[in-house]
């Protein structure tokens, strides 16, 4: 399901704060949906797509439609326990092709196929208490999960397309079907899949703005909780 919400702001500073509030507050996300929901926030300087719930066949098409509505720029916020591998790889390719950033908010989950989508971000963001994890792709035979050589080969090719090393490919397919290998900060650096927290990203943006004489992000703005309340 694709839904759209409008968010109006009196200042372009919200564009730079959009990342901070989605990272620091989970109010925009929920595990309640069984099938993936794609929520589009339009008419904002920095548009956001929120993908939550189980990833199924056909979701790549829904995601493509959402991207057309947004145009260039923006980020993808993820909260999912995974789902269909082929659909996830297609969504990830769309994200990388458009140079979008991926985000897992504070206290939120992105594992299995969802983590493969997150890996496609041109910039990847998460908080220290975000849970991002990988395991080998699998199919069910006689009611039991069996690793799928074909699906894991597709994952390897996908990771190669994204520019990741063999270490990264091994990491994302190492855990058994019913296990999860969590991506820690140290592991992310080791396999070449680093990410920034919201504070680190804001500092990064401020440095870039200083170089181009652009107004810095103010430090006395409303809290992420107060910003989220404007959606409801």
């Amino acid at each position: 399901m694709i839904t759209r919400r409008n968010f109006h702001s009196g200042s372009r500073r919200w564009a730079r704060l959009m990342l901070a509030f989605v990272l620091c507050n989970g109010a925009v996300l929920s595990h309640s949906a069984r099938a993936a929901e794609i929520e589009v926030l339009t008419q904002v300087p920095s548009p956001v797509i929120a993908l939550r719930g189980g990833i199924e066949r056909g979701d790549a098409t829904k995601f493509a439609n959402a991207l057309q509505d947004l145009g260039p720029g923006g980020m993808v916020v993820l909260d999912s326990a995974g789902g269909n591998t082929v659909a996830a790889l297609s969504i990830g390719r769309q994200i990388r092709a458009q140079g979008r950033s991926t985000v897992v908010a504070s206290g939120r989950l992105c594992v299995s196929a969802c983590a493969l989508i997150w890996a496609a971000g041109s910039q990847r963001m998460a908080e220290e208490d975000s849970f991002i994890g990988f395991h080998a792709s699998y199919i069910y035979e006689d009611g039991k999960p069996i690793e799928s050589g074909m699906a894991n080969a597709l994952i390897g090719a996908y990771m190669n397309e994204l520019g990741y090393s063999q270490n990264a490919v091994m990491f994302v397919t190492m855990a058994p079907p019913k296990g999860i290998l969590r991506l820690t900060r140290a592991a992310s650096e080791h396999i070449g899949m680093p990410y920034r927290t919201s504070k680190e990203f804001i500092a990064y943006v401020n440095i870039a703005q200083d170089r181009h004489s652009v107004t810095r992000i103010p430090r006395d703005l409303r809290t992420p909780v107060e910003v989220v309340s404007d959606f409801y």
Side-chain angles (χ1 to χ4, degrees):
M1 179 178 69
I2 299 177
T3 59
R4 296 176 177 81
R5 296 184 184 177
N6 295 333
F7 179 66
H8 299 276
S9 170
S11 171
R12 292 185 65 83
R13 67 188 182 183
W14 295 114
R16 301 187 297 273
L17 277 181
M18 190 65 69
L19 170 68
F21 93 75
V22 296
L23 275 170
C24 296
N25 193 290
V28 296
L29 297 171
S30 170
H31 288 298
S32 61
R34 293 182 180 179
E37 295 183 354
I38 300 172
E39 185 176 21
V40 183
L41 289 82
T42 58
Q43 297 183 5
V44 295
S46 181
V48 172
I49 299 176
L51 186 155
R52 58 190 179 185
I55 301 162
E56 299 180 347
R57 293 181 181 179
D59 285 341
T61 299
K62 291 194 296 183
F63 190 83
N65 292 336
L67 288 179
Q68 290 180 357
D69 290 344
L70 286 179
M75 66 188 73
V76 179
V77 187
L78 300 163
D79 184 25
S80 170
N84 185 275
T85 298
V86 174
L89 300 188
S90 178
I91 292 171
R93 288 187 174 101
Q94 294 176 53
I95 290 171
R96 178 56 66 90
Q98 295 200 7
R100 295 183 183 272
S101 299
T102 50
V103 181
V104 179
S106 176
R108 293 298 167 174
L109 179 76
C110 181
V111 298
S112 187
C114 177
L116 295 173
I117 295 174
W118 177 83
S122 59
Q123 292 193 65
R124 295 162 300 280
M125 286 154 275
E127 294 298 324
E128 297 300 340
D129 62 346
S130 304
F131 193 105
I132 300 168
F134 300 87
H135 64 180
S137 186
Y138 61 93
I139 58 175
Y140 277 97
E141 291 185 1
D142 298 325
K144 297 180 180 180
I146 304 297
E147 287 192 29
S148 170
M150 181 178 295
N152 287 310
L154 292 175
I155 291 172
Y158 167 81
M159 296 294 288
N160 183 260
E161 288 176 32
L162 298 180
Y164 287 113
S165 67
Q166 290 183 355
N167 284 339
V169 175
M170 289 188 291
F171 186 92
V172 304
T173 58
M174 185 181 302
K178 288 302 183 180
I180 290 290
L181 182 58
R182 184 174 186 176
L183 183 70
T184 64
R185 195 64 180 272
S188 73
E189 298 287 346
H190 178 71
I191 67 173
M193 197 183 293
Y195 61 86
R196 291 186 175 96
T197 65
S198 57
K199 290 182 179 179
E200 291 167 346
F201 182 79
I202 290 172
Y204 165 79
V205 171
N206 277 334
I207 291 173
Q209 290 173 336
D210 284 344
R211 291 174 179 172
H212 295 87
S213 300
V214 179
T215 303
R216 291 171 59 88
I217 299 176
R219 298 181 180 277
D220 58 348
L221 297 177
R222 293 185 301 161
T223 68
V225 173
E226 292 171 325
V227 175
V228 171
S229 68
D230 287 341
F231 283 87
Y232 300 95

